[in-house]
Amino acid sequence: MLTQLKDIIGDLGFLSFEISLAAGAIVILILGLVVKHKLAYKVGFIAVLLLALLLLSFGQEEVLLLGDNLQFNDLGALLKALFVFTAIWIVFYPTAENHGSEYYFLMISMILGSALMLSANNLLVIYLVIELTSFASYSLTNFDFKKKSFEAGMKYLLFGGVSSALALYGASILYGYSGTLSLSGMDFGVVENSAFLNLGMALFIGGVLFKVSVVPFHIWVPSTYEATPTDAVAVLSVIPKIAGFVLLNRILDALNVYEISWLLNTVTILGIATIGMGTLGALRQTNVKRLIAYGAVAHSGFLLAAVLIPFENGVSAFVWYAVVYALMNVAVFYLVSLFESKGMTEVDQFAGLYKKEVYLGGLVVLVMISLIGLPPTSGFTIKLFLFTVMWEWYQSVGDPLTVAYLVIAVISVVFSLFFYLKIPYQMFLRDGQNTNYSQSSLSQRVIATIFTLLVLWLFFRPEILNNIANNIKFLDW
Amino acid sequence: MSAIPLTYYLVLSAFLLCSGLLMVLIKKNAVFVLLGIELMLNAANLNLVAFSKFNPNLDGQIFAVFSVVVAAAEAAIALSILLNIYKKFDSSDLDDLNTMEY
Amino acid sequence: MENLLSWLIFIPFIAALVVGFIPKDKSQLIKIIALAATSIQLVLGLLLFFQFDGDTKPSLWSEAFQFTELEPWIHFKLGSIGSLQVDYFVGVDGISMPLVTLSALLLVIGVISSWKLEQKVKGYFILYLILSGSLIGCFVALDFFLFYVFFEFMLLPMFFLIGIWGGPRRSYASIKFFLYTLFGSLLILIVMIGLYLSTGSIDDAGNQINTFSLVQMMDGSFLENTLLAPGSSFVLWGSSLRYWAFILLLIGFIIKLPAVPFHTWLPDAHVEAPTAISVLLAGVLLKVGGYGLFRICYAIFPDIAIELAQPVAIIGMISIVYGGMVAMAQNDVKKLIAYSSVSHMGFVLLGLAALTAEGVSGSLFQMVSHGFISGALFLIVGVIYDRTHDRQIESLSGLASKMRQYTFFVVLFFFASLGLPGLSGFVGEILVFMGAIGAESINGVIPSWIGMVSVLGLIISAGYYLWTLQRMFFGKYWTREAAWDVKMVDLSAREWLMLVPLALLTLLFGVFPSLLLGPIENTMNFFVEHIMNQGQTYLNL
Amino acid sequence: MKGDMIHMAFLLLLPLIGGLVAFASGKTKAPVVALLGMIPGFLLSLLMLNSAFADVIVYRWEWVPGYELGWRIDEASALLIALVNFISLMVHLFSATYLKGDAGLNRFYAKLGFFTTSMLCLLAADHLLLLFVFWELVGFSSYLLIGFWFQDPAKAKAAREAFMVNRVADAGLLIGVVLMITVLDLQFLSELSSQNSSFLLTLAGFGLLIGALGKSAQFPFFGWLPKAMAGPTPVSALIHAATMVAAGVYLLFRVQPILIPAVQSATAILGALTAFMAAVAAITQFDIKKVLAYSTISQLGYMVMGIGVGAEDASFFHLWTHAFFKAGLFLGAGAVINYLHHVNHHNHDFDAQDMRWMGGLRKYLPVTFISFVICGLALSGLPLFSGFLSKEGILTGAWLWASQNAASQGWWVYLISDLGFVTALLTPIYVGRQIWLVFFGESRSHMEQYDKAEPVINFKLPLIVLGIGALWFMHAINPFDAHGWHFGEILFGQAEHIESNIPLYTMILSIALAIGGIAISLVFFGPKSKKTESFSQAQGPVSFIGKLSFNSWYVEKSYDWMSVGYLKLTQVFNRIDRRIIDRIVDSVGVCTVVFSKVLAIFDREVIDGLVNFAGWISKTVGAMLTGIQSGKIQNQLVWLLVLLIAIILWFQF
């Protein structure tokens, strides 16, 4: 008993990132009681994140902690750093002006949940961290305190609730068949091909797919993105998603998915459907955030491809994609929030805006180009690399589904042109009156420029992405 | 202390799950829908506990305890949102939540 | 001069940056900077033309390029895919050199033609300069990745240039343009990735180094049994992957060229685009498609080029005949010229498909000469459009008695375009015919009848040009609206400045085609030889 | 040799340079300047004639890598070059007065100079491609000159149609030339020799034939020449009578060695047919120039027939003599038209080219009258005039050929020579008709006439010189010897002696036909005939044959029908392009249904293109998607579960 406790205490050293986040979250909550100044929360938020980042350690061997409940590796560390990097910017968003301390508390909770998702290796832990992330997300959705927010929050919650209930049911079946909650110890060798077990797998994976917004679990995405404060969306669309994909990969690995063809095929088809549905769905959107939300769904399809690819380049592709995806989302949501703060949420409100805001317009174009995946932006680099790896995937397995995946992915790029360019199209090609529009401030422009330049810079220097990917010692996740 | 076979538990939990699901799908009032979710969770809990009984370790039961707590937390969040919805919409009927319909 | 090509590419980019920092209201300064930048480009382009060494006979593509610059850009290991190797690798051979010089010339003319622009000058010239740099980059890139980047990067400025400064249906046209070209370029992208995975070398340590280098791809350094290696075992629907890759590339490039049936974006884009952009679109952008066919489609896939020569030639033939006939039915002069471009670019396809020295040289010559002529034709339409804001043939008549100098140029360029001997259009067409009709007895890749049917194009083009001349320029002077009458003055000095160089070049290359064909002779011969030899080798694998 | 090159360059380019300088010097000085260019040009050509007879001039240079082009002036070229220079000089002279006061006079001389140079180069070209180049350029300059008065829509249209017909034929020529150059490797005219018959050679031969038929206005292309009469009359004299139209004959003359029998027969048939058809057409025309135009076609038909039957020396001779008398006729007609213009100066009641308003002009235009009659008699083929000599050769050749080939090819070969003789009868009829109607009787215009209508020397000189050129002694010493041409021996060597009576028969027959024809014309159209008196009210003929003749066998009409049909076809194609191809490709390219509809929407309502597109997608992608995204969360959940269950079931069973 004592040795166990000692082990646990010893393991806590590895958990410094998570612990500091948890502690920080509580500190901020308390701070909210003491200090009423909004700036303090922002500073606190940044401090907590930076502290956590400082305590993050890279370059370790893969370790199992707390029994085998958590699995730590370098990929996780890297992605945690990415999470911090993504989240830290939200304080600069104009929509982040009025948030209280509980907002930052929830935000940190969500990051914490996602960070733990990266290492969760036990059904119980998985369930808990998913719920932790979800609860934080549900709550954050309401933070605009409008009719719409509550509606979206409620839908999100009900949807999430059903998904997680089903996932829990699935988890219970998995537990029943394997007799263990530990992913690494799971073995269904004896009872293969039982319908009940398959149901369990499907339901459990469904719970994770919900987090990564893969079709058909993407339905919550548009309304949630629309109603949630934009700064929160920037985080929501990146951090839980990336964490969810890592988790999904671990689960698929544990279930030995490459041996279970129906599961693999299902997930592959869902990936294709995700790209298709996201792209087609986005075409008809007129609300900027809904539009980008559908785009994000399509991006999930791309990320899923990287997750499914069974060799090390898949990991690299995933890391590349994740990093750039995070960057692009930070940039695009920053721009969106700038416009949102001036009351512009619908696409046609942007008509003729170039007269007032040609500079930001240019940045919007670049970021959108990156989201589409055209040069000279890093959005192109990652798509190129992903397509390359998909080619290789086909070369090695020869499965026609992989070709279909590749083709749909490529075609979706053409379609995505339509909706991503809607805003630039309105801004530059249409005439309109924006008499009430007030120009953005210099600092806002500078921040937007930094984001955009990052997106461009990684195109010209992709080896940075590669170095990041290469520094992960354990490329097999 | 013997011998209610596992199948019985599973059937019961399946029944719970289905009725919960049915409730989620049919009821218009958000409170009932939430109740449905609770039922589904409890179906899962029942499974866990039952499996745990036929297993050497107690993980399942621990899991169930956790999940009960999580369910409570979920209910708390749900109800707080519901409260707000009731204020804004003057209704807790899910069909009235249609301002964002597309 | 060191780094000639880099200067050519980056001067406009630098100028665009400079323009970006100039306040909006100093439009004159902006124009002067744009003019200066493109003029420097022109000087460099001419330098390139005259310093190009046409005497060396290459035996490998790696020896064919001059003015090469190689800077490593992206180099790193990528697990099982081998090393990723993207270089800033530029150079010119006989195929790209004339096109670079042509672009440099038309870019200057485009600036002059935009001189009267008054709205949103700054944005226009920034985009214009970006477009200039990318265009040149596209022609000189020897790394597929680099080529692709420039290729795609042209789209965006073009999209906005048409979409913002265009005519009433500009948004439709610009989106259509963007969509078609993007679709084409994605097809190219797929093949590019496949080629990347298949090309490269194995170093001493046994590591596989994949590369995007076009030169290596053309020289055929494929890795054993990879997707697109010749003779590889990958088969899709009964044909090798190389076959499908060729088709994808072909579609990708003939969308840009454009050839029937992928041409419908062109008339719309032309009609809506402002004059200068039309000039560039017809004069240079279409050539990117042709250039891509030469450099990538044909040089890398010689086996399939031989196999599919006949369908390609038939596409060319249909474009020539069909494009011309549709042109006849147009009422809008600009649309007419746009369709005539379709017809004339059909010659490029036909000559290339013949795979004889005459056909291929003719094809390239046709591209250059079409650059001059179509550029001038769009300037000519611009002259009328500036004065009347109307381009309908029926709105005007008898212009010859009112605007004599103008009519002189119209007649000159119309006849140049319909292939009057002594003007450059003729040389390209006759060489293509010689190639296409003679191919049957030289290498037998395409039958003679394709060339003979294409001769119809000569009659058809005469038909629509002469009819236009008769309706618009001859007969009694008449304008649809009386108010136009005062504006109907003859060419201004600026317009002279634009048209005269093009007219002189059309005449010069028409009379002395060897000025152009001499320097590129060795490249052309090598191109044909290479395709025939390597193609046969590949086919026998 | 170098001297020769410079000599040749000067010779070929002088007219163009003269024309350009004339253009720059303004309309008053233009005629003088152009003449100053033409006169030394003519003298140079005489010198060249001299030197070419001594030594053939050859110059070759690399045009594009792998292809040499070449000039070559041999005896035949030199002779024709001199001829072209001479006629051009005459026309330059004549035009100065004819077009006096025209605002575009300097432009006219520039175009004329351009034409002359092109024509000279055509004759000097040795390489087939080079020949094609100038072939096109003479066509182009002809277009410019026909359309000289472009303000008149009818004339602009005529110019276009003339060019188009030529262009169609040129396409055939192009195929022929390209086949010769690339496939058969027969590049130089001077190096042609008879080849083994092959399919490609036949094809090439027909291609060349088509080209020649086009330029020489032979059936079925002859419709362009009457239309070309829209140009100023001196131009007609130069281009459409003496020089350019002869280019087709010249080409056939040059490539004759490689023409295989099938092509030769076709040549003979088409030539004879054209000669006959055009002669018939000439009989009923009212327009003074149209009569001459059809007569030109008819005479060219003789020449082409001559080539076809192997009498190319006679054809060449006829080309030579025809140039003089036909230019003379045209210039005479020009003088008449010019005079009537003056008469008609104030009130434009009538068409100055319409013979119905003429009559009795011999009193006012004596020099013109004499020259016209001499030339007309030469055209009719009366002995003592040049036309007789050359036409004799062709007719004899045709008969000889027919008698030689009748056994092998059948009786129809006689039809060719018979058509030649019928034409020989028709020719004097229309010539006589024209002379009677124009110069005899009384004026039918009822206007005040002028006496001094031929005031200046540059009007009279060309007429006199050309009139003299139509007399026999200018060409041969013996007025009855068809082979007695001064240059015959130089060009073709010693004439073979023919052991046959046919030449004698032909001579007698053709003299009889010529005299008979003139007699017939006197009966029908002479000053005393009823027809002439009421001629000013004459309308077009009513009988079927008369209509056929008046409308020149409906060849020109058929061009119109064809062009209308073609235009409709292009409209159809245009519609296909916009309605079908545009859509199909869009849909094939990306997604079959989606895009075609998208663009349909775009077409209808571009303004809100993107929004509409999205709206459409939402409708089309289907009720399914709509159901899922309806916002009713329970609906959504149902869908989710259905999908889940479906997936599970799918993979389980």
Side-chain angles (χ1 to χ4, degrees), chain D residues 23-24 62 115 162 182-183 266 315 360 373 382 388 417 434 446 450 462 493 543 556 564 601 603:
Chain D
F23 180 74
E62 188 170 59
F115 169 79
T182 57
V183 183
S315 282
V373 168
L382 237 59
F388 173 79
S417 59
Q434 190 169 33
H446 313 295
Y450 301 88
S543 69
E556 286 146 73
V564 168
I601 292 167
D603 269 340

Side-chain angles (χ1 to χ4, degrees), chain A residues 80 125 173 261 307 360 382 387 455:
Chain A
K80 281 172 203 164
V125 179
I173 294 170
S261 65
V307 166
L360 281 189
I382 55 174
F387 292 158
V455 169

Side-chain angles (χ1 to χ4, degrees), chain A residues 77-154:
Chain A
L78 167 78
L79 291 176
K80 281 172 203 164
L82 180 67
F83 292 172
V84 170
F85 175 80
T86 311
I88 212 157
W89 299 105
I90 66 166
V91 297
F92 297 113
Y93 281 52
T95 47
E97 282 314 305
N98 304 313
H99 299 317
S101 62
E102 62 279 6
Y103 180 85
Y104 295 103
F105 165 75
L106 288 169
M107 190 64 81
I108 295 175
S109 307
M110 184 160 80
I111 300 167
L112 175 60
S114 305
L116 284 167
M117 241 195 264
L118 296 171
S119 19
N121 195 31
N122 179 295
L123 293 181
L124 173 56
V125 179
I126 289 171
Y127 178 69
L128 287 178
V129 294
I130 288 182
E131 291 298 287
L132 174 56
T133 319
S134 294
F135 290 175
S137 318
Y138 302 153
S139 314
L140 283 171
T141 308
N142 299 286
F143 263 72
D144 265 354
F145 304 108
K146 290 179 196 147
K147 233 178 153 176
K148 249 190 335 204
S149 330
F150 298 126
E151 181 186 338
M154 193 69 204

Side-chain angles (χ1 to χ4, degrees), chain C residues 58-66 68 89 215-216 218-219 526:
Chain C
S59 59
L60 276 175
W61 277 112
S62 47
E63 297 161 7
F65 291 95
Q66 303 176 23
T68 49
F89 185 18
V215 175
Q216 289 196 34
M218 288 190 288
D219 276 335
F526 171 60

